[in-house]
Amino acid sequence: GENVEQHPSTLSVQEGDSAVIKCTYSDSASNYFPWYKQELGKGPQLIIDIRSNVGEKKDQRIAVTLNKTAKHFSLHITETQPEDSAVYFCAASKGDAGKSTFGDGTTLTVKP
Amino acid sequence: SAVISQKPSRDICQRGTSLTIQCQVDSQVTMMFWYRQQPGQSLTLIATANQGSEATYESGFVIDKFPISRPNLTFSTLTVSNMSPEDSSIYLCSVARGDYGYTFGSGTRLTVV
């Protein structure tokens, strides 16, 4: 089955700096790659996603890149703010969004 | 996107007892999913619940331990049976957002003592 590895497990940045979280996947048939943000005491929330026919997608301060050949994708957050502090999960699935494999999560701390 | 209400938000239970978690969606959905998130860890799919059919369980999860009901297209329950401390986790229900990932409920934080 699919295996998703996520790095780093923890990340601490100063407010205003950029943060990058990287994931690799094993199944070349995976074609949908969402990112979720989980704040304390809440369920994960979809923040951005990318499909295999696209190399990059941007939404304001958040961007995701995908390298299908290398089977890795990354989340980029620019101009970080304290409210970006949360646990971020990457995931991979094959067409059916109903069965995603999740990475182990990255705890991002943005220091004011 | 769909709005999910999940109850209870947290509970502390005695070992050997059972807890039923409810998940209500504000729109009709074909599939609902139950996840477990152990402390400080990632999300693991327990089962997929389709209305009108038996739930489909992932490897390592069995119906006797995690019975699921799906009586209609907006509601599902997950029961954690004969609990032990190892069942202490956050349990999350979710629905697919068409082709665009999941919407999750806020989770049920279960502590078994």
Side-chain angles (χ1 to χ4, degrees), chain B residues 68-80:
Chain B
I68 288 171
S69 78
R70 184 80 202 274
N72 57 53
L73 290 172
T74 64
F75 187 79
S76 178
T77 66
L78 170 76
T79 299
V80 186

Side-chain angles (χ1 to χ4, degrees), chain B residues 19-75:
Chain B
L19 176 71
T20 295
I21 302 167
Q22 300 180 5
C23 184
Q24 178 76 51
V25 188
D26 69 345
S27 58
Q28 293 184 340
V29 293
T30 305
M31 291 190 290
M32 295 177 73
F33 308 92
W34 288 97
Y35 278 83
R36 182 174 73 182
Q37 186 176 24
Q38 293 180 302
Q41 296 190 25
S42 188
L43 291 83
T44 302
L45 182 64
I46 298 172
T48 302
N50 293 317
Q51 194 269 333
S53 64
E54 293 288 329
T56 303
Y57 289 83
E58 298 299 307
S59 176
F61 298 96
V62 295
I63 188 171
D64 290 345
K65 176 67 175 177
F66 298 101
I68 288 171
S69 78
R70 184 80 202 274
N72 57 53
L73 290 172
T74 64
F75 187 79

Side-chain angles (χ1 to χ4, degrees), chain B residues 7-26:
Chain B
K7 295 191 291 188
S9 59
R10 60 179 62 233
D11 208 341
I12 300 174
C13 300
Q14 296 292 323
R15 68 178 66 203
T17 63
S18 298
L19 176 71
T20 295
I21 302 167
Q22 300 180 5
C23 184
Q24 178 76 51
V25 188
D26 69 345

Side-chain angles (χ1 to χ4, degrees), chain A residues 1-111:
Chain A
E2 175 66 276
N3 182 49
V4 177
E5 294 190 358
Q6 183 172 345
H7 299 280
S9 58
T10 60
L11 180 59
S12 181
V13 300
Q14 288 295 136
E15 182 177 0
D17 288 351
S18 295
V20 180
I21 303 170
K22 299 182 179 181
C23 288
T24 60
Y25 61 99
S26 61
D27 190 342
S28 56
S30 290
N31 60 4
Y32 177 67
F33 307 94
W35 286 88
Y36 294 87
K37 175 183 181 182
Q38 186 175 28
E39 297 174 318
L40 201 61
K42 297 183 179 180
Q45 180 182 9
L46 180 70
I47 56 171
I48 196 167
D49 57 11
I50 193 167
R51 297 187 172 278
S52 59
N53 59 348
V54 176
E56 183 175 357
K57 183 177 179 180
K58 189 173 181 181
D59 182 3
Q60 299 183 335
R61 296 185 297 108
I62 296 174
V64 57
T65 59
L66 171 65
N67 183 327
K68 282 193 300 182
T69 303
K71 289 191 280 193
H72 68 69
F73 56 112
S74 300
L75 177 71
H76 304 253
I77 305 174
T78 59
E79 301 173 24
T80 54
Q81 302 167 2
E83 50 266 38
D84 294 329
S85 297
V87 180
Y88 291 81
F89 292 97
C90 63
S93 66
K94 288 180 283 191
D96 177 1
K99 287 187 70 171
S100 287
T101 301
F102 286 81
D104 286 341
T106 296
T107 301
L108 173 64
T109 303
V110 181
K111 297 185 226 176

